[in-house]
Amino acid sequence: AHTILLVQPGANPETRTYSDYESVNECMEGVCRIYEEHLKRRNPNTPTITYDISQLFDFVDQLSDLSCLVYQKSTNTYAPYNKDWIKEKIYILLRQAAGHTDYKF
């Protein structure tokens, strides 16, 4: 389902951004990419970035706001979901991807 990701990294409302995705899984991958970009900025000379899920979840918790709006076809509306829901969906996604080599834990 179409999913809109709302991100506010800092306390300042002007840091708010949004992005949209074709599915919840794509959106969760987008959250992981945001964290990976954050790590790359903090470690510009490190050729390979690795992290574990607890570090990713700490990052999510440190954001001032992170939420998703997921399209509900039955009601033609968007339902809001919070950080805990997002972390649960990321956990499921990464657990499913653990068999693939593109993800490092």
Side-chain angles (χ1 to χ4, degrees):
H2 185 254
T3 305
I4 301 169
L5 178 67
L6 306 170
V7 184
Q8 182 178 335
N12 186 341
E14 290 169 14
T15 64
R16 287 181 185 150
T17 60
Y18 78 92
S19 45
D20 67 316
Y21 301 89
E22 293 303 312
S23 70
V24 169
N25 274 1
E26 275 184 35
C27 181
M28 297 309 114
E29 290 170 2
V31 174
C32 293
R33 276 195 299 280
I34 289 168
Y35 180 56
E36 289 161 9
E37 291 301 320
H38 167 78
L39 289 176
K40 285 178 191 171
R41 282 192 303 275
R42 288 185 49 189
N43 307 286
N45 300 321
T46 307
T48 306
I49 301 286
T50 59
Y51 59 90
D52 65 41
I53 200 162
S54 65
Q55 293 168 307
L56 173 60
F57 286 177
D58 287 346
F59 173 76
V60 165
D61 289 336
Q62 288 166 9
L63 296 170
S64 287
D65 189 24
L66 182 71
S67 52
C68 281
L69 298 171
V70 180
Y71 183 68
Q72 309 295 307
K73 193 173 186 175
S74 59
T75 56
N76 202 28
T77 60
Y78 283 85
Y81 293 96
N82 64 14
K83 286 180 183 181
D84 288 336
W85 182 87
I86 291 170
K87 289 192 292 188
E88 182 182 322
K89 292 295 180 190
I90 288 173
Y91 176 77
I92 292 166
L93 176 72
L94 293 181
R95 201 177 63 201
Q96 289 169 346
H100 299 101
T101 54
D102 358 347
Y103 287 91
K104 291 190 167 68
F105 295 100

